[in-house]
Amino acid sequence: MMLQSLHIHNFALIEDLHISFADGVTILTGETGAGKSILLDAIGMLCGKRASASFVRQGTDAFLVEGAFFFLDKTGALGKVLEANHIEWEDGQLIISRKFHKSGRGSILVNGTLAPTSVVRAISAFLLDIHGQFDNQLIFDPAYHVTILDSLTPELKKVRREYDNMYLNWRDLCREAQKLQKDEGEKARLLSILDFQIKEIEGAQLKEKEDEELEEAINKASHSEHIKETLRTALYAFEGGERQKGMTEQLDEVHRSLEKASAYEPSFAGLAARVETLSYELEDIHDSVVRYADSFTFDENALDRMQSRLASIEKLKRKYGFTISDIMEFLKKAKADFSRLDQSESTLAELEKQIQQESRALRQKAGELMELRTAADKVFRKKMEDTLFRLGLINSRIAFHLEPMQDITAEGAAAIELYFSANKGEAMQPLAKIASGGEVSRIALALKANGPDSVEGRTMIFDEIDVGISGQTGLQVAAEIHKLSRRGQVFCITHLPQTAASADHHYFIYKKEKDGRTVTQVRKLSEEDHIREIARMFAGDDTSPASITAARQLICQVRGNISDCKK
């Protein structure tokens, strides 16, 4: 992986900045307050770190940070993350672009595709490894120590994953057992509630869609008087009365009249036939209305019973669900819960048996972990102490303090913590209690060189990791940083001339006034400018021929060009 270029626009004191980078060690120097930390904050935006309106340059609406990365492993884990999030890439290039408005709105594009910060964090984990002041606190955390130890060898990683899966299963069984071990009063109360609910629903003897059928029947019964009146009106129209002939009789008269007329005018015969057909249809309709009228009854008591039944169903709906199907589903769950609680004693006994089996397996796996951890610690200890010796801590000792597991723990041990001693004859103690500031920086660098964080390929960024170091130790720190560049691109923000002398590429960060406002600028230094900057770091702004000579010699020494140093 490699950070190819960076574009920053309206970010804090940076107005507009384009920088291109290359392989090797890139050093960033400048006066205190020039904006080195601002540059690091901007790169942090590409990692999905939290943005703030305070980052937006005053007088503007939004900031923009873009980074172009190059990676070769298209089929590896990074490629899978990109594919899973439908992010396309070509020629191994990845461009992350983040825009953030002072109103709080923001967006992140990865190769032109919108991506949430969680996805950007997952992607950036393969691209960047930033080590700053926070990491100097992180190395005091025992949880971080466990992560370091269990990532030292592939076999250790595998067994730790197996232990984690077994522990999660054991924990779930324990939680289920705790639920069943509630006090008897609570158990009895729950059983009583469930029993009432089950009996209430079962007692109702509900049928699917019964409520819909009742609503239809009630609607019909509620309009019975209107239906009766409609039937009476229809029958009167058909049959007539004392003062008016009915339609049937009137149609018969029409039919007879047309038949008589057909004797004089043959065309009336067709009309008479049509009227005869109509009379048959009318007679059939009349018979249907009569049959419906004879069968129609209205029972007020039946209507009361239907309304009462529907009210009962609606009451159950308010308590157990919106539909009859919901109520029956509630009943099914209530029965299952009742059965589980009622049979909790036998279930608890079976759970406890499973917990005992899982506990034995966990203890056995923890023993396997302890053996692997002890073996890995021996190798780790030797590498770390060799590195710390080169970094000037010649009598230092460092190792993992391991205590075998007694009670079952998530880590598979009673305690895991890095212990350290800087002086010969002094007992090792927890790192957090004994390490000084300068020692912490060197330990952090040694962890980068030997621990699991030394992932091949990622661009590593160190923010003043050499703080509190000088002289010969500084030279060793520079050498270790240069070794790391063999694994991938390395960036260092530093005030130490020894570290700066290791630069393959050197950028100078400075502030200047533009249109009455202060802006941060970055300038790539030539070889001569690089030498002058090292001399300035030695002697301040008033550089002299002696400081220039010293700077040249330091650069030669760090680069290993001893013959050139003598010229």
Side-chain angles (χ1 to χ4, degrees), residues 87-160:
I87 297 171
E88 297 182 358
W89 72 96
E90 294 180 359
D91 302 324
Q93 190 173 63
L94 203 62
I95 298 176
I96 301 177
S97 176
R98 185 168 188 179
K99 191 172 186 178
F100 187 85
H101 292 263
K102 61 183 180 182
S103 63
R105 294 181 294 106
S107 62
I108 309 178
L109 298 176
V110 181
N111 280 1
T113 300
L114 276 171
T117 53
S118 58
V119 171
V120 174
R121 290 190 194 106
I123 292 171
S124 66
F126 295 98
L127 304 173
L128 294 166
D129 179 13
I130 301 176
H131 182 88
Q133 296 300 319
F134 170 74
D135 298 272
N136 284 350
Q137 299 302 316
L138 185 62
I139 65 170
F140 294 145
D141 185 358
Y144 181 57
H145 301 169
V146 178
T147 301
I148 293 173
L149 177 58
D150 288 344
S151 300
L152 289 176
T153 68
E155 188 178 8
L156 191 46
K157 289 180 183 178
K158 174 178 174 291
V159 175
R160 176 58 196 269

Side-chain angles (χ1 to χ4, degrees), residues 456-555:
E456 292 283 343
R458 288 192 297 178
T459 294
M460 289 175 281
I461 301 177
F462 296 105
D463 181 18
E464 299 188 14
I465 196 171
D466 48 16
V467 66
I469 295 171
S470 61
Q472 187 63 31
T473 302
L475 289 172
Q476 294 300 327
V477 168
E480 289 298 323
I481 289 174
H482 208 273
K483 283 182 183 178
L484 287 176
S485 69
R486 298 170 189 168
R487 298 174 181 161
Q489 191 180 34
V490 178
F491 285 75
C492 286
I493 296 174
T494 184
H495 286 287
L496 188 68
Q498 289 92 327
T499 303
S502 69
D504 294 310
H505 319 282
H506 192 157
Y507 291 84
F508 181 68
I509 302 173
Y510 62 99
K511 291 190 294 187
K512 77 171 189 176
E513 187 177 314
K514 180 181 178 182
D515 299 327
R517 297 189 61 188
T518 300
V519 295
T520 291
Q521 299 280 335
V522 178
R523 179 167 59 91
K524 186 174 184 180
L525 301 183
S526 65
E527 181 65 20
E528 283 302 313
D529 288 337
H530 169 57
I531 294 169
R532 289 184 177 280
E533 173 62 6
I534 301 258
R536 183 196 66 79
M537 296 172 77
F538 268 134
D541 291 333
D542 186 20
T543 56
S544 63
S547 63
I548 295 292
T549 300
R552 289 183 188 276
Q553 290 177 342
L554 177 61
I555 293 169

Side-chain angles (χ1 to χ4, degrees), residues 9 16 36 45 63 68 71 84 98 142 238 243 247 252 262 269 278 288 299 379 410 461 467 478 482 542:
H9 184 69
D16 196 67
K36 297 185 293 297
M45 296 298 100
F63 72 68
F71 67 101
R98 185 168 188 179
F238 274 116
R243 299 180 180 181
M247 284 189 295
D252 285 343
S262 66
L278 185 60
S288 295
D299 186 345
V379 177
I461 301 177
V467 66
H482 208 273
D542 186 20

Side-chain angles (χ1 to χ4, degrees), residues 240-259:
E242 295 179 358
R243 299 180 180 181
Q244 180 181 332
K245 293 179 180 180
M247 284 189 295
T248 304
E249 186 178 352
Q250 292 181 39
L251 201 58
D252 285 343
E253 288 183 0
V254 172
H255 179 255
R256 287 193 296 271
S257 299
L258 290 173
E259 277 194 328

